[in-house]
Amino acid sequence: MKIVVLWSDALIFLLVAVIATFFWNMRKDKILTERWRQVFSSRLGMVAFVVIASYILIALLDSLHFRKALEPVEGQPADQVFYENRATSVLDVLMGDMADENERTYSAPFSLKSFEKVNMKADDGSSIRDFPPLVHAGKHLDDPADKPADIVKQTFIALIIAIVVCAFWIGPQWYFLRNSELPWKSAWIAQAVIILVFVWLIYVGNLYHVLGTDKAGNDVLYKSIKGIRTGVLLGTLATLVMLPIAVTLGVCAGYFKGWVDDIVQYLYTTLSSIPGILLIAASVLLFQVYIDLNPDFFTIGLQKADARFVGLCFILGVTSWATLCRLVRAETLKISQLEYVQAAHAFGVSNYRIIKRHILPNLTHIILITFVLDFSALVLAEAVLSYIGVGVDPAMTSWGNMINEAREELSQEPAIWWTLAGAFFFMFTLVLAANLFSDLVRDAFDPKTVDGGAKA
Amino acid sequence: MFAYIVRRLIYAIPILIGVNLLTFVLFFVVNSPEDMARSQLGEKYVTAEAIENWKKENGYDKPLFFNESNKGLSSVTETIFYTKSVRLFMLDFGQSESGRDITADVAQRMWPSLALALPTFAIGIWTNICVALLVVMFRGTALDRGAVVLFVGLMSISYLFYIIGGQYLIAKMWRLVPISGFDASIHAWKFLILPIVIGVISGIGAGARWYRTLFLEVSHQDYIRTARSKGLSEITILFKHVLPNALIPILTGVVVVIPLLFMGSLVMESFFGIPGLGSYMLDSIERQDFAVVRSMVFIGSILYIIGLILTDISYTWADPRVRLN
Amino acid sequence: MSESVLIIRDLCISVGSKQLINSVSLDVHSGEIYALVGESGSGKSLTAMAAIRLLPDALKVTSGRVSVKGQELFGLKEKQMQEVRGRRIAMIFQDALTSLNPVQTVGDQLSETLRRHLNLNSEEIRQRTINLFKEVGLPDPERRLSFYPHQMSGGQQQRVMIAMALACQPEVLIADEPTTALDVTIQKQILELVVKLARERKLAVLLITHDMGVVKNTADRVGVMYQGEIIEENPINDFFENPREQYSKHLINSLPDMRHYRKSDESQTPLLQVSDIKIHFAIRKGILQRVKGYTKAVDGISLNIAPGETVALVGESGSGKSTCGRGILNLDKLASGEIRFDGQRIDDLSRSKMMPYRKQIQVIFQNPYSSMNPRMTVGEIIEEGMISLGLKLNAEQRSAKVDELLQRVRLDLDSKRRYPHEFSGGQRQRIAIARALAVNPKLIICDEPTSALDVSIRAEVLNLLLELQRDFGVSYLFITHDLSIVPHLAHRIGVMQNGKIVEQGDTEQVLTAPQHPYTQSLLASVPRID
């Protein structure tokens, strides 16, 4: 086994560290903790948070990559090990064999047979045209007619496993948090439901293709779950890139005014006057040209796709700081007129210290609101960008790529709906949870509860 | 007012220069013409000759900024920067890499885009305001809370699902309208009605929710309390006091995009096969036709700046407190 | 005695399980002005809003009744109540600018009320609107019809509000702090207008105010509200001569005493000399936004302050008095003139050269809510200046100093670990005083430090300032719009108007024998106990 650290892996763990420090520092701030308490004191907030946290957990598990060692072939020296040409993640291990259970082509959910007829040799040697049985679905069944009963049975087994997992996972939480005022009960119910769903999906998904297979015969459920990492990482990394640019420039413009302000305003007006999608498209295409012309940088295919992915995050970040910068500038202008900043000037406090002690802490609500609002917007944007052809690498699993494939499939007769359904379900759940959560965060943190993001 | 518009137009010049420089840097400095030729020709092992040919054909065989081989003015004009970037200011977009005249293409494709985008925009805003007003009328009730959850749900669905689902249901299952296509004559409505409906519905979630917030915010103002104390009915208050005041922030968000409607929608037009500027851009992105992308970036920036000016002008119309100077 | 028009009986209001108003009863007769007095949070506005049934949704009337000439209001349907509002009960609010619709002309806003309640054609409505504008003393009423609120002055806006309230000849007028947002001279005119209209039209007026001066000059009867209850109710003369409750005495004593003055001692050399300073803000116009002129916020001011002396700078909003303070603090650039501190010129010093003087000159701001960073503890706030001005103290010494200062301004020692939002306005202002004192200044610029505070707390803060002056010998430049607190406080006074000092001298001399007409008009509008 050889550990592989992709750029995006490193960045997402860096982001986790940054956010953890941020919250650790915030813990001293009574006002902010009070606001967070308000967010979490609603049951909806708890549930939405649990859903988002589960997605993030899956994304993190899917970001720990390694390459498996290949079985030594004959004649290979004992001290030499070869590794698989693809990277496996911890999540893949948890999901069992789903990654490898490829069929020939389409198959419907829970089906035992392929979706398309092929010519086959019958037992008596004659050539017939029929739906071939699937290689990996229901192979433990003696008789295909047992399928419905077997699904119920396997569901039951999955349920028992899930209950055991729940007991170990939720039990300690209950013990430590039972006297808390926050609605932890809702959180536990949400966790239980999520554990239940995932245990069932993975357990039954290893026996059948719960969401069928796609054109290349890949398990759609597996793809949908792998899409989580792409969505979550894109939603967070792009913001991570954008935040420092927007905040630095916005604070400088609003605090120092004068020519600094003129330059920053010029920069963001220029940037926002370029149609966003064209700028992103052009940048991604140019970056792709660069990747194509430098194939030697990447040892495995995943690294190439990852380079494009990280590039996309950077491009999204660098092209989208204008809105936040404008908000930060306006707020900084407002704060620097306030009397406590005037008082600090009267005390001769240095500019650096005024920004650090008086301005930045009072911008946290804007940064937070932007972070959660942008998250869902970016997840949705990924789908559109992938459709246009400037999203993530086509080789990388993402919901956008899945929807893109599904477009043709729906017009087939009979329609192939499961790819779309898989992408829809996982994407919708995440975006809905993020939107509900961002609503609550905004209500709690924004003194005025204005939709700043909707402004052009 | 006149002085204001003139000043804004003067301010637009450095912004357009900035846009121009930025695109130039993106397209010619980050990736050299050689790189582009290589990726355009597609092959890994292209000959140097093929690259030179391609560059010559497309006018990339000049130096970037300064042509030493020429004398006088032409040492500046016979460069990629001049022919490809500066000429944009004269609205001379030149030829696409497939050899078509970009200006003519844009002029022709603008109208189908507008035929789709303008109704979608106008009906969309109208619908959103009506829905939001209706919800605000029932504020504090279960209907209001339910509507908010519905809005959040609607805006959590990707745009693409609306299109794919709408096309599947209305055009394929119920066969009410053709799935896609376009007709230059008045019969175009058959093709346009489905994308317009889908465009409007997909915008309700975010739009109505935003307007609801604005209406509620206005209805907490002191002057609404005054209106109540005068004995006005809630309906009168909503239409005569809340709406005119909420119109001000709505305008800022909305007027700026009106000129951009000419650009059309990339996704919508390509899904429904409408030959507008949106699908033009998408095609050129797919074919990596950077000449078209560059021109569209420039046109988009001009339209955006016009949008900003229109926004300010509409402010004076909606808000008597604002005067331009 | 005439009949009771507005009757409130046993009114109780609560939010959740918390009782805000507890069994309030009062009667207002026709032609009478009943003043409901109390400090912020006492529940006086809630009582009024309940009477017109416009309480915020979260608040509930739990019991009681309100009637207007025998018509019970709480039993009415919302539709019927709309008929009552504006027709039988009308209301005017504190801040006229925010209470008028900014995008509708004032003429439309008034005729809207007429159209709602009376059956008139448009010509009659126009005529009535003009007559109403005339009645409330708006100049050139016909032209005013097409004005938007922002085009009028604060006093005119409040006149429009009054005209709107009186449009349909209501029997009851509720006036919620109608003059609090106005300058004193305007305040007086508006109050006179309300009194005149109440008498002429036999209105029953429920006047809500915190200002005892307003009560004294206008009301017929007074009800004192304290923590959701009316604790005392009396005719005006009995009330001022013979208040029953301790709290009422407290309120009455907060009225300025214009008989005792502080004497100034002229022998000392001045600590601060301001000579002919001007502060201008550029006005930009035209296509290229070139500077086309200047707003002369401060236009040639000279004044001196001796050690241990208080100089009051008095003027209405926009007179440039705060800008003058900022100029002395070197926060705004001077256009011309010079400022000397201890004989040393300080207005042209660089940031680092200015540092030693920052220790000497400190400031206390008006708004106790925005003058402290909400994200810092009180301890950190007080320490900030000691650290940045390099007072050469270690952490322990600083902490000891903070303790000492908190004791000085009479706050608990554990305050330093708490955040500003946990304190009341008066307490915050003490923290601000402690912060200023932390660096041992010789001069403190007090920019309206008490105008955001309730009257009873105002006196405490002022007394604290006087006490500190006695103990530490600091000088104050006291910027205020409130002439009534000046005699108690200042040795000398400067009266500002439009960026200039129009009159300057010993407090007693200026206030007892004002020379300039502006000073005279200011003094005439100050309510006082004679």
Side-chain angles (χ1 to χ4, degrees):
Chain A
M1 196 176 92
K2 181 174 166 185
I3 290 173
V4 180
V5 181
L6 299 174
W7 271 104
S8 55
D9 295 345
L11 284 172
I12 189 67
F13 283 103
L14 173 72
L15 178 69
V16 170
V18 168
I19 293 179
T21 357
F22 178 70
F23 278 93
W24 182 250
N25 285 331
M26 212 162 62
R27 149 199 69 107
K28 284 179 290 185
D29 193 325
K30 272 194 177 170
I31 300 172
L32 286 182
T33 34
E34 193 43 54
R35 303 255 164 89
W36 277 116
R37 179 171 282 275
Q38 188 191 328
V39 172
F40 286 106
S41 63
S42 87
R43 291 202 296 268
L44 191 64
M46 271 288 185
V47 173
F49 178 75
V50 167
V51 173
I52 297 171
S54 326
Y55 270 81
I56 292 175
L57 184 70
I58 291 173
L60 290 179
L61 286 176
D62 205 7
S63 298
L64 297 166
H65 286 103
F66 58 88
R67 282 161 77 182
K68 281 190 197 148
L70 288 172
E71 297 284 318
V73 285
E74 242 173 282
Q76 184 181 336
D79 56 340
Q80 195 177 10
V81 191
F82 286 103
Y83 297 99
E84 273 186 7
N85 200 17
R86 57 174 191 148
T88 312
S89 74
V90 173
L91 183 74
D92 292 330
V93 175
L94 287 177
M95 286 206 290
D97 298 326
M98 268 158 87
D100 303 320
E101 294 182 337
N102 282 7
E103 306 295 343
R104 274 192 61 251
T105 181
Y106 291 120
S107 68
F110 284 111
S111 172
L112 298 179
K113 295 201 164 166
S114 184
F115 192 68
E116 279 166 15
K117 285 183 178 171
V118 290
N119 294 325
M120 292 189 298
K121 282 256 166 46
D123 292 338
D124 56 3
S126 62
S127 185
I128 51 163
R129 191 169 168 77
D130 196 9
F131 299 107
L134 295 177
V135 189
H136 296 288
K139 59 189 171 197
H140 60 293
L141 294 178
D142 297 327
D143 178 3
D146 292 344
K147 192 175 80 173
D150 184 61
I151 292 174
V152 174
K153 191 182 107 193
Q154 303 296 353
T155 303
F156 196 69
I157 297 173
L159 199 69
I160 291 171
I161 300 174
I163 288 172
V164 175
V165 175
C166 283
F168 278 101
W169 180 254
I170 298 174
Q173 289 186 42
W174 172 81
Y175 183 78
F176 287 112
L177 297 166
R178 67 200 146 153
N179 293 327
S180 163
E181 296 159 11
L182 297 174
W184 282 104
K185 218 174 181 176
S186 315
W188 295 326
I189 293 172
Q191 289 175 27
V193 170
I194 291 168
I195 290 174
L196 217 71
V197 169
F198 270 91
V199 167
W200 183 81
L201 283 177
I202 291 171
Y203 185 76
V204 180
N206 269 295
L207 302 169
Y208 299 94
H209 295 297
V210 175
L211 280 173
T213 54
D214 67 1
K215 190 170 186 176
N218 298 313
D219 189 278
V220 171
L221 175 64
Y222 174 75
K223 279 178 74 180
S224 308
I225 294 178
K226 290 293 271 187
I228 291 176
R229 175 178 183 269
T230 315
V232 170
L233 261 64
L234 191 87
T236 46
L237 288 184
T239 316
L240 180 74
V241 174
M242 176 261 273
L243 277 181
I245 308 176
V247 173
T248 315
L249 290 179
V251 167
C252 287
Y255 184 77
F256 294 108
K257 306 185 187 79
W259 61 268
V260 184
D261 191 22
D262 289 342
I263 290 179
V264 172
Q265 283 199 66
Y266 170 71
L267 282 180
Y268 72 60
T269 317
T270 306
L271 195 67
S272 52
S273 75
I274 300 177
I277 207 148
L278 282 180
L279 188 61
I280 294 166
S283 313
V284 171
L285 288 180
L286 294 167
F287 192 68
Q288 185 62 40
V289 170
Y290 176 80
I291 293 177
D292 289 343
L293 295 175
N294 298 284
D296 312 335
F297 283 12
F298 316 104
T299 44
I300 52 175
L302 192 57
Q303 282 176 331
K304 208 163 153 184
D306 189 65
R308 167 145 168 179
F309 177 69
V310 173
L312 179 68
C313 292
F314 266 88
I315 289 164
L316 284 176
V318 170
T319 52
S320 65
W321 56 268
T323 315
L324 178 64
C325 184
R326 198 189 315 241
L327 289 176
V328 167
R329 174 183 167 269
E331 189 69 15
T332 309
L333 272 176
K334 208 174 82 193
I335 296 173
S336 54
Q337 293 305 317
L338 284 181
E339 286 167 343
Y340 60 82
V341 177
Q342 301 291 336
H345 281 298
F347 278 120
V349 180
S350 65
N351 288 333
Y352 169 76
R353 221 179 139 76
I354 289 182
I355 290 176
K356 192 178 144 223
R357 298 289 315 249
H358 296 287
I359 309 245
L360 282 180
N362 288 297
L363 292 172
T364 26
H365 69 278
I366 296 186
I367 295 171
L368 260 173
I369 293 168
T370 310
F371 193 85
V372 285
L373 266 183
D374 279 6
F375 178 77
S376 51
L378 284 163
V379 174
L380 290 175
E382 187 269 330
V384 173
L385 290 176
S386 294
Y387 169 76
I388 295 172
V390 294
V392 300
D393 195 275
M396 192 168 178
T397 322
S398 83
W399 295 320
N401 283 335
M402 287 173 74
I403 296 169
N404 209 357
E405 291 161 22
R407 200 157 60 93
E408 304 296 320
E409 296 167 356
L410 213 55
S411 54
Q412 290 195 10
E413 207 61 56
I416 294 165
W417 50 269
W418 47 86
T419 320
L420 194 67
F424 178 82
F425 174 77
F426 283 94
M427 192 170 169
F428 179 69
T429 316
L430 176 61
V431 177
L432 183 65
N435 275 336
L436 290 172
F437 192 68
S438 73
D439 254 17
L440 291 167
V441 168
R442 193 165 45 177
D443 284 349
F445 283 87
D446 193 342
K448 228 172 109 223
T449 312
V450 174
D451 196 335
K455 276 193 186 159
Chain B
M1 181 77 140
F2 176 73
Y4 174 80
I5 293 174
V6 172
R7 198 175 76 242
R8 286 301 297 259
L9 288 175
I10 294 172
Y11 280 169
I13 294 170
I15 291 172
L16 286 176
I17 292 175
V19 169
N20 208 305
L21 279 176
L22 184 69
T23 43
F24 182 78
V25 167
L26 261 183
F27 287 102
F28 295 104
V29 181
V30 174
N31 286 88
S32 65
E34 273 86 33
D35 292 341
M36 283 204 303
R38 227 179 273 272
S39 74
Q40 275 283 312
L41 295 170
E43 315 302 326
K44 267 195 177 162
Y45 306 101
V46 280
T47 57
E49 203 177 326
I51 290 178
E52 281 310 312
N53 271 339
W54 185 87
K55 277 165 70 180
K56 189 164 238 144
E57 260 169 44
N58 292 285
Y60 293 124
D61 55 343
K62 300 177 180 110
L64 280 183
F65 292 104
F66 191 74
N67 195 338
E68 284 174 10
S69 59
N70 285 8
K71 291 269 177 289
L73 194 64
S74 64
S75 66
V76 183
T77 54
E78 285 298 308
T79 57
I80 293 182
F81 181 66
Y82 183 80
T83 52
K84 298 294 174 187
S85 277
V86 178
R87 295 243 298 261
L88 291 177
F89 279 102
M90 303 156 202
L91 297 184
D92 172 9
F93 301 120
Q95 290 193 336
S96 74
E97 264 137 48
S98 54
R100 292 174 59 92
D101 181 18
I102 296 178
T103 315
D105 274 352
V106 169
Q108 186 203 346
R109 283 170 165 263
M110 199 166 83
W111 303 111
S113 276
L114 205 59
L116 172 61
L118 194 63
T120 313
F121 171 80
I123 300 172
I125 289 181
W126 178 248
T127 318
N128 293 347
I129 290 181
C130 289
V131 172
L133 279 175
L134 196 72
V135 171
V136 169
M137 244 181 254
F138 292 96
R139 66 173 164 274
T141 66
L143 188 98
D144 180 33
R145 284 190 292 275
V148 173
V149 173
L150 182 72
F151 292 156
V152 176
L154 283 177
M155 60 186 272
S156 304
I157 299 173
S158 168
Y159 189 46
L160 297 172
F161 286 119
Y162 283 103
I163 300 177
I164 297 174
Q167 234 175 6
Y168 182 73
L169 272 184
I170 299 175
K172 194 180 166 207
M173 295 260 288
W174 301 338
R175 297 183 186 285
L176 296 178
V177 288
I179 289 183
S180 70
F182 193 69
D183 191 331
S185 69
I186 193 76
H187 299 293
W189 69 269
K190 274 193 306 211
F191 297 99
L192 287 175
I193 196 153
L194 179 60
I196 289 173
V197 167
I198 291 176
V200 169
I201 292 177
S202 65
I204 286 183
R209 179 163 156 275
W210 180 38
Y211 295 154
R212 174 185 168 272
T213 323
L214 289 178
F215 291 149
L216 284 184
E217 200 182 299
V218 172
S219 65
H220 289 135
Q221 298 293 320
D222 283 352
Y223 49 83
I224 301 300
R225 184 182 62 182
T226 311
R228 291 218 173 88
S229 79
K230 292 198 289 191
L232 302 181
S233 68
E234 286 298 313
I235 298 287
T236 319
I237 293 174
L238 200 56
F239 281 93
K240 290 201 68 181
H241 294 270
V242 175
L243 192 58
N245 279 288
L247 218 56
I248 299 165
I250 290 178
L251 273 177
T252 41
V254 145
V255 171
V256 72
V257 304
I258 290 178
L260 289 171
L261 293 178
F262 280 102
M263 303 276 285
S265 152
L266 268 72
V267 178
M268 213 51 132
E269 289 180 12
S270 80
F271 258 104
F272 291 97
I274 290 161
L277 283 179
S279 51
Y280 186 54
M281 284 187 277
L282 191 67
D283 291 346
S284 56
I285 290 171
E286 274 169 3
R287 285 200 320 264
Q288 310 215 341
D289 190 333
F290 290 125
V292 176
V293 175
R294 227 164 37 227
S295 308
M296 295 308 292
V297 165
F298 195 73
I299 296 174
S301 310
I302 294 177
L303 293 176
Y304 177 79
I305 290 166
I306 296 175
L308 287 183
I309 298 173
L310 286 182
T311 305
D312 285 347
I313 294 172
S314 64
Y315 249 139
T316 56
W317 170 72
D319 189 344
R321 286 167 297 184
V322 175
R323 281 180 55 224
L324 301 179
N325 53 40
Chain C
M1 186 171 244
S2 58
E3 55 165 337
S4 296
V5 182
L6 174 71
I7 299 175
I8 298 177
R9 281 283 170 280
D10 303 321
L11 184 71
C12 297
I13 300 173
S14 57
V15 54
S17 58
K18 196 176 162 215
Q19 185 98 346
L20 296 176
I21 301 290
N22 190 11
S23 193
V24 163
S25 301
L26 58 88
D27 292 10
V28 189
H29 309 291
S30 75
E32 178 192 53
I33 297 179
Y34 181 105
L36 196 54
V37 194
E39 303 195 330
S40 53
S42 61
K44 53 195 195 305
S45 289
L46 286 184
T47 308
M49 293 310 274
I52 197 167
R53 280 185 43 187
L54 284 177
L55 279 178
D57 290 339
L59 306 184
K60 293 276 172 297
V61 173
T62 46
S63 67
R65 64 186 187 84
V66 174
S67 68
V68 174
K69 282 222 174 131
Q71 185 178 25
E72 292 293 334
L73 299 188
F74 287 173
L76 296 178
K77 292 208 177 69
E78 179 57 27
K79 257 224 135 54
Q80 296 167 309
M81 188 61 208
Q82 284 169 2
E83 299 286 337
V84 175
R85 287 188 206 121
R87 182 79 184 85
R88 309 198 62 187
I89 306 189
M91 192 152 178
I92 52 183
F93 299 96
Q94 172 172 355
D95 190 345
L97 179 62
T98 61
S99 297
L100 290 169
N101 187 342
V103 303
Q104 205 180 15
T105 62
V106 290
D108 282 349
Q109 292 186 54
L110 205 158
S111 46
E112 188 179 49
T113 318
L114 292 169
R115 205 170 302 124
R116 169 74 181 85
H117 294 291
L118 307 174
N119 197 8
L120 300 171
N121 65 34
S122 54
E123 188 42 45
E124 287 168 329
I125 287 180
R126 191 185 137 80
Q127 209 44 56
R128 276 229 197 178
T129 311
I130 294 171
N131 288 342
L132 278 163
F133 276 2
K134 222 177 274 168
E135 193 178 350
V136 296
L138 279 175
D140 202 358
E142 273 177 61
R143 223 162 59 79
R144 289 284 179 292
L145 288 182
S146 57
F147 273 38
Y148 288 97
H150 72 276
Q151 294 167 305
M152 306 175 114
S153 70
Q156 289 176 338
Q157 288 161 2
Q158 197 56 279
R159 283 171 199 270
V160 171
M161 280 292 288
I162 293 171
M164 221 155 73
L166 298 181
C168 303
Q169 281 137 350
E171 291 121 304
V172 179
L173 176 70
I174 300 176
D176 189 355
E177 305 264 9
T179 56
T180 307
L182 301 173
D183 279 331
V184 272
T185 42
I186 314 290
Q187 189 170 339
K188 190 171 182 232
Q189 298 166 6
I190 295 290
L191 286 175
E192 281 166 358
L193 176 68
V194 170
V195 173
K196 182 183 120 208
L197 292 169
R199 303 281 182 257
E200 281 174 9
R201 295 182 164 222
K202 293 251 167 274
L203 274 170
V205 179
L206 178 61
L207 175 72
I208 290 159
T209 182
H210 70 279
D211 188 336
M212 294 310 284
V214 170
V215 176
K216 176 126 179 95
N217 291 347
T218 50
D220 301 309
R221 273 194 309 144
V222 185
V224 178
M225 252 189 121
Y226 182 69
Q227 293 186 347
E229 288 179 59
I230 293 186
I231 55 169
E232 179 168 359
E233 191 184 85
N234 254 327
I236 185 84
N237 291 334
D238 294 357
F239 178 75
F240 277 97
E241 277 159 24
N242 210 353
R244 280 199 312 269
E245 296 286 328
Q246 190 57 41
Y247 182 72
S248 309
K249 284 179 193 151
H250 205 68
L251 286 179
I252 295 169
N253 286 339
S254 70
L255 273 182
D257 178 352
M258 301 287 260
R259 288 162 297 191
H260 300 99
Y261 294 94
R262 288 186 85 178
K263 294 275 181 282
S264 68
D265 175 10
E266 285 177 25
S267 60
Q268 282 175 312
T269 50
L271 178 72
L272 179 83
Q273 292 167 282
V274 175
S275 27
D276 198 32
I277 59 164
K278 292 181 178 169
I279 299 173
H280 294 173
F281 299 115
I283 305 169
R284 290 168 195 278
K285 266 195 183 143
I287 290 176
L288 293 171
Q289 293 290 288
R290 278 212 305 266
V291 177
K292 285 288 167 68
Y294 293 95
T295 314
K296 294 175 179 167
V298 174
D299 193 21
I301 281 186
S302 304
L303 56 84
N304 292 338
I305 302 176
E309 187 189 38
T310 304
V311 173
L313 205 50
V314 183
E316 299 189 333
S317 52
S319 60
K321 54 194 194 303
S322 289
T323 313
C324 178
R326 292 172 48 84
I328 295 169
L329 284 165
N330 212 344
L331 294 177
D332 278 336
K333 270 258 153 291
L334 301 188
S336 70
E338 62 173 49
I339 299 169
R340 283 177 186 278
F341 189 86
D342 255 352
Q344 162 74 38
R345 207 172 153 184
I346 59 165
D347 55 274
D348 53 357
L349 291 182
S350 68
R351 214 188 106 78
S352 52
K353 290 246 179 67
M354 184 67 198
M355 285 300 253
Y357 293 97
R358 294 239 176 262
K359 258 179 269 189
Q360 317 264 6
I361 310 177
Q362 267 309 313
V363 60
I364 300 168
F365 288 107
Q366 167 177 14
N367 189 336
Y369 296 91
S370 65
S371 67
M372 270 166 267
N373 186 342
R375 309 214 175 273
M376 284 164 73
T377 63
V378 169
E380 289 170 332
I381 289 169
I382 298 175
E383 269 182 356
E384 185 175 42
M386 296 191 231
I387 296 170
S388 65
L389 290 174
L391 247 53
K392 300 207 176 54
L393 298 170
N394 60 32
E396 243 165 76
Q397 289 168 314
R398 278 204 305 270
S399 167
K401 175 115 196 198
V402 170
D403 287 350
E404 185 197 318
L405 286 164
L406 284 174
Q407 263 168 344
R408 253 345 288 233
V409 299
R410 292 187 210 97
L411 285 169
D412 290 339
L413 288 188
D414 67 324
S415 301
K416 67 177 169 186
R417 272 178 293 278
R418 289 157 66 194
Y419 287 85
H421 71 272
E422 299 171 58
F423 295 89
S424 69
Q427 287 172 322
R428 290 184 200 207
Q429 221 48 318
R430 288 155 191 264
I431 298 169
I433 294 171
R435 168 172 68 179
L437 284 176
V439 292
N440 308 321
K442 289 188 183 157
L443 169 68
I444 299 181
I445 294 174
C446 305
D447 190 354
E448 305 253 17
T450 56
S451 59
L453 302 179
D454 278 330
V455 274
S456 56
I457 294 160
R458 186 178 300 179
E460 285 172 28
V461 172
L462 292 177
N463 287 334
L464 178 66
L465 285 171
L466 286 177
E467 183 190 313
L468 295 171
Q469 183 167 54
R470 207 179 51 227
D471 295 356
F472 296 113
V474 285
S475 310
Y476 295 129
L477 175 64
F478 202 93
I479 295 166
T480 181
H481 71 278
D482 186 355
L483 212 50
S484 62
I485 58 176
V486 171
H488 181 57
L489 200 71
H491 301 96
R492 289 189 299 120
I493 181 172
V495 180
M496 270 191 87
Q497 189 190 19
N498 300 332
K500 291 193 169 74
I501 291 184
V502 294
E503 187 164 5
Q504 185 166 202
D506 286 351
T507 309
E508 178 163 18
Q509 179 204 330
V510 173
L511 293 191
T512 48
Q515 300 299 306
H516 195 275
Y518 181 69
T519 318
Q520 290 163 353
S521 76
L522 268 184
L523 266 172
S525 39
V526 174
R528 61 176 85 195
I529 301 177
D530 311 294

